[in-house]
Amino acid sequence: MHPALPLPPDGETGRVPGALLVRGDCDDTTWNDVLSRMGALPGMVAHTPGQPLPPARGPIPRRLLVAQDPAWRGAVPVEVSQALSGEGAWLPDLVLIADRGTTRDPALRPLTAFLPSDDDLYRFRITPRQVAMTYLVMHRPGIEDTLDHHKECGAAEVELEPGESYEDWLDGSPDVMGDVLETADHPPCYQPPAAPLPVITQNNWGLLVRTDFSDDRAWAALAADADRLDPRIETPEDHQPYVQIVDDPAFAGATPEQVMAIVRPNEDEEEETGEAVVVIADQASMGGSDRTVLVVPLEDNVGWSFRLPPDKVRSMAANLFIGNNDISDWMRQGSPDGPAVMTERERRSWWSR
């Protein structure tokens, strides 16, 4: 028997987005490695048997429940799903199990995952860093599409041939969502900011956040370029700002992961806002020779980033909003000496999809 999962605290009525991470059949080294790769995520809490969940706090409530009681050893998706089916239980967006497959692959540490909303409990494999980056945007309305994207890319339904073992199947199963993030030269990792960051509510089609305050003149020029009138298609009387500018010293030195975690869409359903992407003006934007900005997707390929000239930000925001193209089209604009900040190995992985 596996231990019962804790109930939400009294008075918690609204949806609290998040994930459940279960330590199944994996060794200590593997488990500690998984936790290290995921980082010090906001709302991360250990499961204490017999105790209710603590309230989800913060300006954007979220929860990552970590269940590591030895009684969970050997747990499989159907058993975890049954533990979540109790009356009043908190239902996460994503369930993850560190199992034998996690132990067997020290390079990627893939976790077995499923969506509690999926009646078939279709399993997929996903790396800890991809989980962490996805967790940071689980408050966004497009999270279901993002999780479906992960499910498709890391499909891992076990179909054993006669005489084939589970270990044999693992050795021949190449699909792991997040392999690029896990093997990047500088993989993303969330660390808490020194002071809480204010929440950014996106009210426009594009969003540009300043995180470097070393050069006001460079910033003024960059911000002007990012939302400049295009005389080919606009007249001054028809011009309207497409790009929402956030120029707040509270964001000085903020990392891309910290920024993506506090961007929320306008809650007014009648107000059309931007595509799921945030643009960051960082130190390289102000002092680098190319003055590019960092583009950080908030759906699908969360955790990826690429650089773009500031004068392309308005066009990207407008085209994403009206559906002329998607973020992958802009990522593909990168060339070996272009704006995309991917290694050659990462680029080959992206192009092969």
Side-chain angles (χ1 to χ4, degrees), residues 214-229:
S214 62
D215 190 333
D216 288 342
R217 182 175 298 180
W219 162 250
L222 186 151
D225 285 344
D227 203 22
R228 191 179 303 280
L229 168 74

Side-chain angles (χ1 to χ4, degrees), residues 154-176:
E157 283 299 282
V158 181
E159 297 182 3
L160 299 179
E161 299 293 335
E164 182 184 25
S165 69
Y166 176 75
E167 286 74 16
D168 292 334
W169 176 86
L170 285 174
D171 289 339
S173 179
D175 297 327
V176 178

